[in-house]
Amino acid sequence: RVDTAKREATVEGKVNGAKFLEFIANTKSGFRAYESAFELNTDALTFNVAMILIGLDKANSVASRYHFDPNPPQGDPVEIWVEWGRAGSRKRVRAEEMLVDVETKKKFPKSDWVYTGSSLIENGKYLAETDGVLIGFVHDPASIIESALPNGVGRFGFIQLDSSLGLEAGSPIVLTVKPVKAVTKP
């Protein structure tokens, strides 16, 4: 769902149950589900169109050049929220607060995520759709949204969904993306 008045997009999904994470969200039955926290009920093209409809602009982005790029991606900043639970006991948490480095025992710090929009590859296919990736934190060029911080770069095998949240594989969630600042049009 896209709410242009609120400038936010929400999409339903479920917890993947992947143990070692590199991505927050993948597409429905996406290739990278084995290393993504959530599977969202969308494809990459539809998700990207929703981002454009809430005012995000790829012209403002510099995507990661390769997987684990040490240089931070740039783009329009967004907040990502995940909500789950039953009526009366629903929880709503920022996406980065759901991730923990099990070696250092630290949660990801509060940060903005950035819209990079992913890219087209040589054969004209949309990289986010090919990889089944929507939102990542390891600086990957396929992600439509990436963490601006390097929390996941070089940390494969250590980043997991915080077990204290009580989220089990298959649990339904709702993910919301909202731009951090107003969009200025020329």
Side-chain angles (χ1 to χ4, degrees):
R1 293 179 306 229
V2 174
D3 186 328
T4 54
K6 287 184 176 179
R7 294 191 57 239
E8 67 181 26
T10 59
V11 61
E12 294 178 352
K14 66 178 183 176
V15 177
N16 275 331
K19 184 165 177 128
F20 306 115
L21 303 176
E22 292 189 358
F23 303 95
I24 291 289
N26 63 272
T27 60
K28 182 84 173 155
S29 302
F31 170 66
R32 293 284 182 85
Y34 69 94
E35 55 192 358
S36 298
F38 309 113
E39 176 181 284
L40 301 183
N41 297 333
T42 188
D43 59 53
L45 186 58
T46 302
F47 185 82
N48 192 49
V49 169
M51 299 303 101
I52 294 166
L53 289 172
I54 61 172
L56 303 177
D57 188 348
K58 185 168 174 56
N60 300 329
S61 73
V62 176
S64 298
R65 296 167 295 156
Y66 52 88
H67 194 70
F68 297 134
D69 188 343
N71 297 308
Q74 298 173 22
D76 292 334
V78 299
E79 293 178 336
I80 303 167
W81 295 86
V82 179
E83 188 175 347
W84 71 96
R86 292 179 168 71
S89 65
R90 293 207 46 92
K91 295 179 183 176
R92 187 171 192 254
V93 177
R94 289 177 62 101
E96 66 271 19
E97 294 172 357
M98 301 182 84
L99 301 172
V100 63
D101 184 316
V102 295
E103 182 183 49
T104 64
K105 310 246 187 301
K106 293 182 181 177
K107 286 190 176 192
F108 279 17
K110 182 178 177 184
S111 67
D112 289 334
W113 299 75
V114 294
Y115 170 76
T116 62
S118 192
S119 59
L120 296 176
I121 51 180
E122 307 85 47
N123 59 8
K125 293 188 177 186
Y126 189 44
L127 185 55
E129 190 66 42
T130 300
D131 279 8
V133 171
L134 299 172
I135 304 169
F137 54 84
V138 294
H139 299 178
D140 187 281
S143 299
I144 296 171
I145 296 174
E146 265 288 331
S147 172
L149 296 178
N151 296 322
V153 178
R155 302 300 300 151
F156 181 76
F158 296 114
I159 309 304
Q160 297 180 9
L161 198 58
D162 185 351
S163 61
S164 72
L165 297 171
L167 288 167
E168 296 180 18
S171 297
I173 58 101
V174 176
L175 184 137
T176 301
V177 177
K178 185 167 181 60
V180 171
K181 59 185 176 183
V183 174
T184 55
K185 301 282 181 184

